[in-house]
Amino acid sequence: MNSQKQGAYDNVNKLSALSFILTLALTLLPRMSIAITLEQALVSALDHSPEIHQQYARFQAVLQDREEVTANYYPQVKLQAGIGPEHTEYRSGQLVDEDMTRDEIGLRISQLLFNGFSTSANAKRLSYEAEAERYQLLASAENLALQVCETYINTRTAENLVELAQRHVADHESILEDVRRLTRTGHANDTDIAQTSARLANARASLVAAQNNLRDSRAQFVRVVGGEPGQLVSPVPDQQLLPADLEMALSWAKDNHPQLQSALADIDAAKQQVRASKSGYLPRISLEGYANQNHDIGGLEGPEEDYRVMLVLEYDLFNGGRDKARAKASNWRYNESLQVRRNAEEQLAEGTRFAWNAMESLQTQVNLLQSSVDASTLAESGYITQFKLGKRSLLDMLNAKVEVFTARRTYINTAKDYTLSQYRLLNATGRLGYSLRVVYPQQWQEGQP
């Protein structure tokens, strides 16, 4: 009996190996397209992302707002002309009653000399706001990089889990076929067939679930990256860019993360807004020149010319407390920006601690789970050998195979989480894009004056 079982299971193992090779080949065939690395996926996502384009448009809009404000530094030239019928009945108390065609043309040139430092303060405010938007753009790119990492690694892991589930199904199909042969020779019974069939059904259910997860991951990949996954390559984080300890991670996050830099630029912008709000307490001085040339004005035929240059001063003596209210509102906005910066710093520190703790914990788990996979694989091999010798039951062998499958699946998921924790730590310290060797456009990197 043992000799017959030995021969039968040798054939099972050969068929199982062949089945696994064929299954793996069929799995890889649909993916035999152009390979795409994580770095390439990020470049594609940056070009595709509507959030990035939206943030870039906001950045450019603030730059143009600054250009609008700085226009006050230049002379303003205005041409005005008009022509039309004029009916005059009285002039100097006497009836004229004459219809004439009136035309006039005038040129006004003005140069603002002083407006309470409003222009300079608003120009600087918008420069800082542009810097805040630029840093926010970089922060959005960092967050998108993390999203791409998660999507990419989740999809690659889903592929690995499908391959693992297919191998698990192939093993159970081979065992079921062998048990049926043993039943025909009287060395197994219908109970063994039922038991193996139940395990095969569970394996197939796991495969269906894994395939569904893979489809969902691919759909998310298309949305985030803007293209089909193709052939993915398991990424490896740059270990040299990871901080050595938590204190270093917190220091890097505080110094480098663009989200915090954006909050600091907002504070500077709020300071300039406070300065600009005080301009209403000061006069406005401008130099203005006028040149007018008119014809047939006020019922008098002939030309009428007017030229003058004036130094004009405007000063609000009372405007209902508008300037005072504006100054108070600006001070409150400055206080708001301080709290925004504080909140950003605290959230950044919290996220860095979470990422660091997760990375340390998952690293330990990965090492333990690798030992579990090795031990369960060794146990499975021993159970198969003992089953062939009649020292183990079919149930023992099936349980051993399920234990190996579960251990490998748990290891794959935990290894995925460990890799993601490293990318999350790089994101928390503001170095994820740099670690992926992505060079942002020049407009994103240059500080504004």
Side-chain angles (χ1 to χ4, degrees):
M1 176 179 177
N2 289 339
S3 176
Q4 290 175 337
K5 281 188 175 182
Q6 177 70 39
Y9 273 92
D10 285 343
N11 292 332
V12 169
N13 288 334
K14 291 178 182 178
L15 289 172
S16 177
L18 180 59
S19 175
F20 172 67
I21 293 173
L22 291 174
T23 302
L24 183 60
L26 291 174
T27 303
L28 292 176
L29 276 176
R31 292 167 36 214
M32 295 299 286
S33 55
I34 298 176
I36 177 173
T37 65
L38 176 58
E39 293 79 3
Q40 291 170 331
L42 176 55
V43 172
S44 176
L46 287 170
D47 183 62
H48 165 75
S49 172
E51 291 82 3
I52 295 297
H53 288 286
Q54 176 184 345
Q55 183 61 44
Y56 182 72
R58 186 180 297 118
F59 167 54
Q60 290 295 322
V62 177
L63 289 179
Q64 295 307 310
D65 287 340
R66 188 190 63 181
E67 292 299 314
E68 179 185 358
V69 169
T70 55
N72 286 328
Y73 288 129
Y74 300 96
Q76 308 297 307
V77 182
K78 184 176 182 179
L79 176 67
Q80 183 175 354
I83 186 171
E86 180 185 80
H87 176 75
T88 306
E89 294 187 359
Y90 290 97
R91 182 172 64 84
S92 302
Q94 296 186 2
L95 178 64
V96 175
D97 194 14
E98 183 175 354
D99 291 324
M100 306 177 69
T101 300
R102 171 176 177 155
D103 66 85
E104 55 186 62
I105 185 170
L107 183 68
R108 177 176 178 268
I109 302 176
S110 64
Q111 173 63 62
L112 180 65
L113 302 178
F114 180 74
N115 65 348
F117 308 105
S118 175
T119 299
S120 61
N122 280 314
K124 289 181 179 179
R125 172 181 63 84
L126 289 167
S127 291
Y128 286 124
E129 287 185 5
E131 274 295 272
E133 295 296 345
R134 186 178 71 85
Y135 279 121
Q136 188 60 52
L137 177 61
L138 293 173
S140 298
E142 282 284 311
N143 293 335
L144 178 62
L146 179 59
Q147 188 178 10
V148 170
C149 289
E150 291 174 346
T151 303
Y152 189 101
I153 294 172
N154 285 338
T155 304
R156 184 69 188 102
T157 301
E159 292 174 346
N160 291 334
L161 290 174
V162 167
E163 293 169 6
L164 178 65
Q166 288 173 332
R167 180 177 180 180
H168 191 53
V169 168
D171 286 344
H172 281 79
E173 288 175 342
S174 298
I175 293 173
L176 179 59
E177 183 63 27
D178 188 64
V179 168
R180 285 172 176 165
R181 285 198 299 270
L182 292 176
T183 300
R184 289 194 292 268
T185 61
H187 297 97
N189 53 45
D190 291 340
T191 301
D192 294 329
I193 292 178
Q195 190 175 71
T196 308
S197 297
R199 295 301 181 91
L200 176 58
N202 287 333
R204 285 173 173 167
S206 297
L207 174 58
V208 171
Q211 289 171 332
N212 183 61
N213 289 336
L214 177 58
R215 285 193 293 269
D216 290 345
S217 296
R218 286 177 171 269
Q220 186 180 28
F221 188 99
V222 172
R223 180 185 67 82
V224 174
V225 178
E228 292 292 337
Q231 185 177 354
L232 304 183
V233 182
S234 297
V236 178
D238 191 336
Q239 301 299 310
Q240 294 182 348
L241 294 179
L242 289 169
D245 51 47
L246 178 57
E247 293 304 318
M248 181 181 290
L250 292 171
S251 176
W252 285 0
K254 186 175 181 180
D255 294 340
N256 300 322
H257 203 283
Q259 191 71 54
L260 187 56
Q261 300 300 319
S262 177
L264 292 173
D266 275 332
I267 291 176
D268 291 331
K271 287 180 181 178
Q272 294 301 322
Q273 186 172 8
V274 170
R275 179 167 168 250
S277 69
K278 297 177 181 179
S279 63
Y281 296 122
L282 299 173
R284 172 189 172 95
I285 303 173
S286 60
L287 181 65
E288 299 185 0
Y290 302 86
N292 299 295
Q293 189 174 63
N294 309 319
H295 288 84
D296 300 339
I297 301 297
L300 295 177
E301 293 185 0
E304 180 180 297
E305 296 181 352
D306 177 24
Y307 306 95
R308 66 184 183 274
V309 176
M310 302 178 65
L311 186 65
V312 180
L313 181 144
E314 299 175 80
Y315 189 49
D316 285 338
L317 299 179
F318 179 73
N319 60 7
R322 182 189 303 125
D323 295 329
K324 184 177 180 181
R326 184 184 297 118
K328 286 185 177 180
S330 298
N331 278 296
W332 281 115
R333 290 191 179 94
Y334 173 70
N335 289 330
E336 178 189 8
S337 67
L338 291 176
Q339 299 309 312
V340 168
R341 179 256 182 191
R342 177 184 172 189
N343 184 54
E345 188 172 355
E346 290 179 352
Q347 288 186 347
L348 194 59
E350 180 186 44
T352 303
R353 287 190 174 92
F354 283 162
W356 177 266
N357 293 339
M359 187 183 71
E360 282 197 323
S361 175
L362 288 167
Q363 184 177 27
T364 302
Q365 292 181 51
V366 165
N367 294 334
L368 293 173
L369 289 171
Q370 181 62 66
S371 299
S372 174
V373 170
D374 294 340
S376 59
T377 302
L378 183 62
E380 177 198 28
S381 178
Y383 274 43
I384 292 175
T385 300
Q386 292 172 18
F387 175 74
K388 293 175 182 178
L389 297 174
K391 296 181 179 181
R392 289 285 180 180
S393 67
L394 175 63
L395 180 60
D396 291 336
M397 186 183 68
L398 291 174
N399 286 340
K401 284 192 170 293
V402 171
E403 185 175 348
V404 170
F405 171 74
T406 303
R408 287 176 175 168
R409 183 173 60 186
T410 304
Y411 174 81
I412 290 173
N413 282 320
T414 306
K416 173 203 71 174
D417 292 338
Y418 173 57
T419 302
L420 283 176
S421 71
Q422 296 178 74
Y423 284 119
R424 289 192 182 102
L425 184 58
L426 288 168
N427 171 261
T429 57
R431 298 160 67 88
L432 181 54
Y434 176 72
S435 73
L436 295 176
R437 308 300 187 267
V438 175
V439 179
Y440 296 125
Q442 190 67 26
Q443 304 95 303
W444 297 20
Q445 302 179 51
E446 293 180 348
Q448 301 301 321

